[in-house]
Amino acid sequence: YQRRVRGPKLYYDFLAVLHCQLEQAPEDFFDDSMTGSNFLATTLSRLLDNIFAMHERATCAFSDDQMPEVWQKLGRRTRRFRSTVEERFGREFLDDDDSDDPVVVDLS
């Protein structure tokens, strides 16, 4: 049980720190010619997608009344964080990169 709780707590705390850091960035950070093509947008999208996937697995593993509070808090914080950064920067943070998806090859 302790191991299951450490991961969500780490992400929960990390999102708080990241939120404070992103508050310092200008609103055009992801559109500016100097900073717009950096790795952060892709990394942020993947981070959020990974947290949502991890939360979804936890939701399936626990019944509603048995889900540890840290998982519930992580889900709420992640949704609020995503909403806040999307509103602030005027863009969606979704992982649309299909380069890691499996490729189907037709051999006929």
Side-chain angles (χ1 to χ4, degrees):
Y1 173 77
Q2 185 65 20
R3 185 176 192 153
R4 289 185 193 164
V5 173
R6 231 179 308 158
K9 176 77 169 111
L10 174 72
Y11 285 114
Y12 181 84
D13 293 341
F14 179 68
L15 285 178
V17 172
L18 188 57
H19 181 265
C20 291
Q21 294 294 316
L22 288 175
E23 282 182 332
Q24 303 303 312
E27 291 181 4
D28 67 344
F29 182 77
F30 293 102
D31 299 322
D32 184 80
S33 61
M34 295 291 287
T35 59
S37 61
N38 65 39
F39 69 96
L40 190 56
T42 303
T43 304
L44 188 56
S45 295
R46 287 183 178 170
L47 171 69
L48 291 171
D49 287 342
N50 286 336
I51 294 173
F52 281 127
M54 186 173 62
H55 185 266
E56 181 66 27
R57 285 191 301 274
T59 302
C60 294
F62 297 104
S63 63
D64 289 339
D65 59 335
Q66 293 181 341
M67 180 177 251
E69 186 178 356
V70 69
W71 283 106
Q72 295 171 19
K73 287 181 174 181
L74 177 62
R76 286 190 298 269
R77 176 165 284 177
T78 306
R79 286 187 295 277
R80 270 194 319 263
F81 176 83
R82 184 180 218 164
S83 175
T84 300
V85 296
E86 286 180 348
E87 184 177 310
R88 175 172 172 76
F89 296 110
R91 66 178 296 161
E92 289 186 3
F93 289 93
L94 301 172
D95 189 7
D96 293 332
D97 182 11
D98 296 335
S99 63
D100 292 334
D101 289 350
V103 176
V104 177
V105 178
D106 184 13
L107 298 175
S108 54

